[in-house]
Amino acid sequence: MNIFHINSYFVSRNLYKNIYDHQIAKGDHIKVFVPVSIKRTPAEFDRGNYTDISYNFSNFDRYFFFIKHFKIYQDYKRKYAEFPYEIMHAHSLFSNGFISYLIKRDRHIPYITAVRDTDVNSFFKYRFYLRGIGNKILSSADRVIFLSASYRDQVVSKYVKKNIQAEVLEKSVVIPNGISDIWLRNIPDKDKKIKDTKSINIICTGIIDKRKNCKVTVEACRKLIEKGFSVQLTFIGKVIDQNIYEAVTKHSFVRYLNPTDAENLIKIYADQDIFVMPSRTETFGLVYAEAISQGLPVVYTKGQGFDGQFEDGYVGYAADSGNPADVADKIEKILKNYDVISNNCKKAAWKFDWKNICAEYDEIYKEIALPQRDFSG
């Protein structure tokens, strides 16, 4: 199959390479178009010889959606107008999906589009004048990919026009992101137990900023300490907001560790009991999936990305991200059934095996792709 990916996120994240390498391995011919600002410096990782990073708009253009995307589309036409593909995969709704929408309008090639955090919490939420085009992209798409059922339901009920809600729901598919094989290869053999449920180690891995709600996690731990618990809270991640970093690390029960690789994280997680991150917004939350692979029950945000991946209480609990008391309550709930939830986590982690996820995409491509043509270019 000949597949054309549009993925501006591939300039900074190698997550998607799992999909692309799988497609190459099974004999698909792919092209990954990565439109970026002329001043953008790509992150350093192997993108394969199927990727084109294309510098086709300025930083100033980013403030003018249609000007920016007109430049991207003109660049696409110069480079790929004759590229023979049967399907397009846009990795976001607005920034990438709009280009797919234009291509389908002109060339009648089917596409699938993902809906990500920035689509919901930036474009739909604040850029009111783009809601109409967002609905057109959704209506024109052949499949719409959501990372969680909660995000799907939120988008459809809040931002999709009523006259196309049923249509969008019918063609929506929930497919989570996968986790690296290193996490699945290192699922612990032994059951994880807590010797003393009044003494707990809590960890949060993610950038230190407002969106990750580090202060709420600290306040939740303070409430547990007031109830007689002994708590050590560990934050691991890049510091984005220095004020938040200083506010949370001033507490004696908090320690901070610099970002590290998966191999070291696995070792650190072995000494932890519960993963807690009540983010304000989250498209999916890869760190939750990584944590459960190590037998760590998780507290995640109600109504955001990870919520709905499993029945509440199976691998942890959803909490109100703005309510430290609720976060503390969910931690206590986990402690009351810790052994069972921890074992559930290790079994549930296989849901995020990239092999299974790529197979789901393969089936979707087959369902909607144009009849196959000879590949050239």
Side-chain angles (χ1 to χ4, degrees), residues 115 120 124 138 146 151-160:
V115 180
V120 181
F124 267 133
L138 289 169
F146 290 93
Y151 242 59
R152 176 200 62 199
D153 296 344
Q154 180 189 150
V155 170
V156 172
S157 64
K158 197 170 183 178
Y159 298 114
V160 176

Side-chain angles (χ1 to χ4, degrees), residues 54-120:
S54 189
Y55 302 91
N56 45 36
F57 62 92
S58 70
N59 280 342
F60 183 72
D61 293 330
R62 293 170 62 239
Y63 297 100
F64 303 95
F65 181 87
F66 292 103
I67 292 175
K68 168 187 167 181
H69 286 84
F70 175 77
K71 290 185 176 181
I72 294 173
Y73 189 49
Q74 292 304 309
D75 187 42
Y76 155 81
K77 289 196 291 186
R78 284 193 296 270
K79 294 177 178 176
Y80 310 111
E82 302 303 320
F83 193 83
Y85 45 93
E86 297 112 54
I87 190 169
M88 297 177 287
H89 186 155
H91 290 265
S92 70
L93 178 65
F94 284 92
S95 293
N96 302 156
F98 183 56
I99 302 302
S100 290
Y101 167 80
L102 294 175
I103 296 171
K104 183 177 182 180
R105 181 197 65 185
D106 294 345
R107 297 186 64 188
H108 310 291
I109 298 169
Y111 69 89
I112 70 174
T113 184
V115 180
R116 314 202 77 83
D117 180 73
T118 51
D119 294 315
V120 181

